[in-house]
Amino acid sequence: MKIMSILEIYSTNNCLHKLVVISGWIRSKRVSKIGISFLTVYDGSSIHSIQVIACKSLLNYFTEVLKLTTGCSVIVTGYLQLSRGLLQVYEIKSCNIQVIGWVNHPELYPMSAKRHTVEYIRNFCHLRPRTNLIGVVTRIRNMVFQALNKFLNNYGYFWVSTPIITSIDAEGAGSVFKVSLLDSNSNCKIQTRSEINKKLNFFGKEVFLTVSGQLTLEAYACSLSKVYSLGPTFRAENSNTKKHLTEFWMLEVERSFTNIDKISQFSEKLLKYTVSYVLDHCISDLVFLQKIIDPNIFNRLNDFLNIKFINIEYSDVINILKKNNINNNSVISWGDDLLSIQEKYLTDNYFKSTVIIRNYPKSLKAFYMRVNDDNRTVSAFDILVPRIGEIIGGSEREERLDFLENRMNEIGLNSNNYSWYKDLRKYGTVPHSGFGLGLERLVLFITGIKNIRESIPFPRTVGSADF
């Protein structure tokens, strides 16, 4: 039974001194000279742990209890009672402690009771969930996941599992991982490339790990109207920063018969709903983060909920940045992509709010975004949040076949590879829009942690794919 469940049940019903059973791991142990040990036990269900009092009258006190160290797993049977100590309200006076798992060589245990840096525990991703910080982040990540699904379900969106293995590059940028059966130990030098492909090409063509499920999701949006996917995506970009991963989770939303105004407003509602959901369901975890990560976390998240997002045109953003001379006197021109320092200036300094930037130059955006009447820009938007930068990117999708083919030709895509995608424009085409939300970046924003590698259980980055 979960520790928090015990506390809630017995404190609510005022039924102390009832026999309870808990299972968990030892976080710390303190031994008094009078033959009493104080064990701190946690089970991962919350940030809270509970103190267990073990007296020398226990049958295994001297043979086992005194030998317990951080990380050992136990099942404790005892009586819940009010604590005489100042650090906790409740404690358990044990009548039986069963040791389930010992820690071999406690002096070498990587997750010892002392405080470790995030860089240190990152080397032990299989053990770092045992720390308070990663436990907190994991529970909040779970709550974000639940909130996104609940919000979209409430609005009648259908979940669609889009392919992870794909034959197309959805972004047209070439930053993809190729999937191959090639044995790295085989002697390939004596074979031609065509011979290797013929023998080892499982799918009969080159395939890749998906960078986005959007194109396939559009196929379902053009039949079921409102759909979304939520799963892993992969980008082969050589970006080794605190905000980039090569494997990350993406929420992608598509809706037919809608435009950029409606879909951007919907994405704002989704973000605020998710933050509100975390505030309602993760109060203890947020209090922990307030103490060690971000003293302003509650004010920051509540401000996010109460301030309406700023809507601004890309062209106006360029003028603001020119006027205020951002990025060490480097001149920014219309058509340039925004740098992180410029995004940070807009959200943290100039507007002091979340910003929605609209109508980017088409040269900066993907081929599937709808070209505006000026033929220079596309009906696209990015949502930038303070401290993080871009967290959502979306657009109206190009529903006009001739415009879509022109964009493919402009950037050098082989439109024959997208014949099925063009069919969506041939057979009952409709205006439709959508957006993508990076799950890890949202977790990064909510928690206030500094590095995105702590927002995902097993981070994959340039030069690192352990576990």
Side-chain angles (χ1 to χ4, degrees), residues 155-288:
Y155 275 88
Y157 280 75
F158 300 108
W159 171 70
V160 175
S161 52
T162 53
I164 291 177
I165 296 176
T166 178
S167 60
I168 58 174
D169 176 3
E171 300 296 325
S175 300
V176 294
F177 291 101
K178 183 178 179 181
V179 179
S180 173
L181 280 173
L182 185 63
D183 182 357
S184 60
N185 295 320
S186 63
N187 185 7
C188 299
K189 294 182 180 179
I190 62 174
Q191 303 178 67
T192 66
R193 184 176 182 86
S194 61
E195 288 174 334
I196 295 172
N197 288 339
K198 185 176 180 180
K199 290 181 179 179
L200 300 175
N201 207 325
F202 186 88
F203 293 99
K205 62 172 71 174
E206 285 191 329
V207 293
F208 315 95
L209 296 178
T210 185
V211 300
S212 168
Q214 180 210 305
L215 302 191
T216 47
L217 192 62
E218 282 186 55
Y220 274 73
C222 291
S223 297
L224 302 179
S225 294
K226 297 188 289 186
V227 294
Y228 75 99
S229 65
L230 181 51
T233 53
F234 308 84
R235 300 282 173 95
E237 296 176 343
N238 192 16
S239 300
N240 200 7
T241 74
K242 293 182 178 181
K243 294 191 294 184
H244 285 89
L245 294 165
T246 55
E247 176 187 286
F248 54 96
W249 279 59
M250 181 75 77
L251 170 73
E252 297 185 281
V253 177
E254 291 291 327
R255 181 169 183 174
S256 294
F257 305 102
T258 192
N259 57 31
I260 188 174
D261 294 325
K262 292 179 180 178
I263 202 69
S264 61
Q265 291 168 10
F266 185 76
S267 62
E268 178 176 346
K269 288 181 181 178
L270 180 141
L271 283 174
K272 290 185 174 180
Y273 176 88
T274 304
V275 171
S276 178
Y277 197 84
V278 171
L279 282 168
D280 289 341
H281 292 83
C282 299
I283 186 69
S284 297
D285 290 324
L286 292 171
V287 168
F288 173 83

Side-chain angles (χ1 to χ4, degrees), residues 260-269 271-272 308-314 316-317 338 346-347 351 353-360 380-385 391-394:
I260 188 174
D261 294 325
K262 292 179 180 178
I263 202 69
S264 61
Q265 291 168 10
F266 185 76
S267 62
E268 178 176 346
K269 288 181 181 178
L271 283 174
K272 290 185 174 180
K308 184 172 177 57
F309 294 0
I310 302 295
N311 270 273
I312 188 170
E313 296 285 313
Y314 167 87
D316 294 330
V317 165
L338 301 184
L346 293 170
T347 57
F351 290 111
S353 175
T354 298
V355 178
I356 303 177
I357 303 176
R358 299 157 52 107
N359 297 322
Y360 281 82
F381 71 96
D382 288 340
I383 298 183
L384 313 180
V385 297
I391 199 168
I392 281 181

Side-chain angles (χ1 to χ4, degrees), residues 64 73 79 84 88 116 136 151 170-171 174-175 187 190 238 263 272 275 320 413-414 424-425 461:
E64 292 187 319
S73 58
Y79 293 92
R84 296 180 181 179
Q88 61 277 325
H116 299 288
V136 163
F151 178 86
E171 300 296 325
S175 300
N187 185 7
I190 62 174
N238 192 16
I263 202 69
K272 290 185 174 180
V275 171
I320 290 172
L413 287 180
N414 184 351
L424 302 177
R425 279 72 182 165
T461 56

Side-chain angles (χ1 to χ4, degrees), residues 167-171 212-222 254 366-370 395-405 407-408 413-430 432-434:
S167 60
I168 58 174
D169 176 3
E171 300 296 325
S212 168
Q214 180 210 305
L215 302 191
T216 47
L217 192 62
E218 282 186 55
Y220 274 73
C222 291
E254 291 291 327
F367 71 93
Y368 52 75
M369 297 186 178
R370 195 180 200 277
S395 74
E396 293 181 19
R397 312 315 190 189
E398 185 57 82
E399 86 280 8
R400 300 163 296 183
L401 180 59
D402 54 342
F403 278 79
L404 182 65
E405 290 181 326
R407 286 289 290 136
M408 288 180 174
L413 287 180
N414 184 351
S415 64
N416 292 329
N417 294 335
Y418 298 83
S419 57
W420 65 270
Y421 188 66
K422 292 190 293 182
D423 281 350
L424 302 177
R425 279 72 182 165
K426 293 179 181 178
Y427 308 134
T429 187
V430 294
H432 56 289
S433 304

Side-chain angles (χ1 to χ4, degrees), residues 33 48 68 71 85 99 147 154 187 195 202 254 263 285 298 326 372 382 465:
K33 296 179 180 179
H48 298 289
L68 288 172
V99 182
N154 289 343
N187 185 7
E195 288 174 334
F202 186 88
E254 291 291 327
I263 202 69
D285 290 324
F298 286 102
I326 305 303
N372 289 324
D382 288 340

